[in-house]
């Protein structure tokens, strides 16, 4: 499997988190579409099928990720 460059993953994670913080999923159609596009790209880039798994996988591929990182256990 091809792996996305860490800088790309970092950017995608930041974009998704920003859109989620702005509640884009409940916003105008353009914001929702952007959030969906970023989520899809995260999934494709990490080889996952849902955005939560994609975020975990992306974070584990970023520099500084700890092998025993418990980020999968944190609540949203």
């Amino acid at each position: 499997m091809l792996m996305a460059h860490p800088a790309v993953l970092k950017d995608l994670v930041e974009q998704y988190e920003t859109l989620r913080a702005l509640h884009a999923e409940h916003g105008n159609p353009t914001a929702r579409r952007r959030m969906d596009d970023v989520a899809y790209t995260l999934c494709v880039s990490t080889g996952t099928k849902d955005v939560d798994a994609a975020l975990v996988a992306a974070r584990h591929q970023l520099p500084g990720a700890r092998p025993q990182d418990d980020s999968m256990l944190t609540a949203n």
Side-chain angles (χ1 to χ4, degrees):
M1 177 172 98
L2 293 175
M3 295 192 57
H5 191 278
V8 172
L9 289 175
K10 182 177 185 273
D11 182 55
L12 288 168
V13 169
E14 288 174 355
Q15 284 184 56
Y16 186 81
E17 289 175 344
T18 299
L19 288 164
R20 186 168 55 187
L22 296 173
H23 303 287
E25 68 271 18
H26 303 298
N28 66 51
T30 303
R32 279 195 308 266
R33 190 168 35 256
R34 181 65 189 144
M35 188 172 188
D36 290 343
D37 289 346
V38 172
Y40 174 80
T41 305
L42 267 168
C43 289
V44 170
S45 299
T46 58
T48 58
K49 294 186 181 200
D50 68 78
V51 72
D52 292 325
L55 289 167
V56 170
R59 287 184 183 116
H60 279 277
Q61 294 177 36
L62 295 177
R66 297 169 291 154
Q68 61 275 26
D69 190 350
D70 62 357
S71 61
M72 292 190 298
L73 303 176
T74 59
N76 288 333

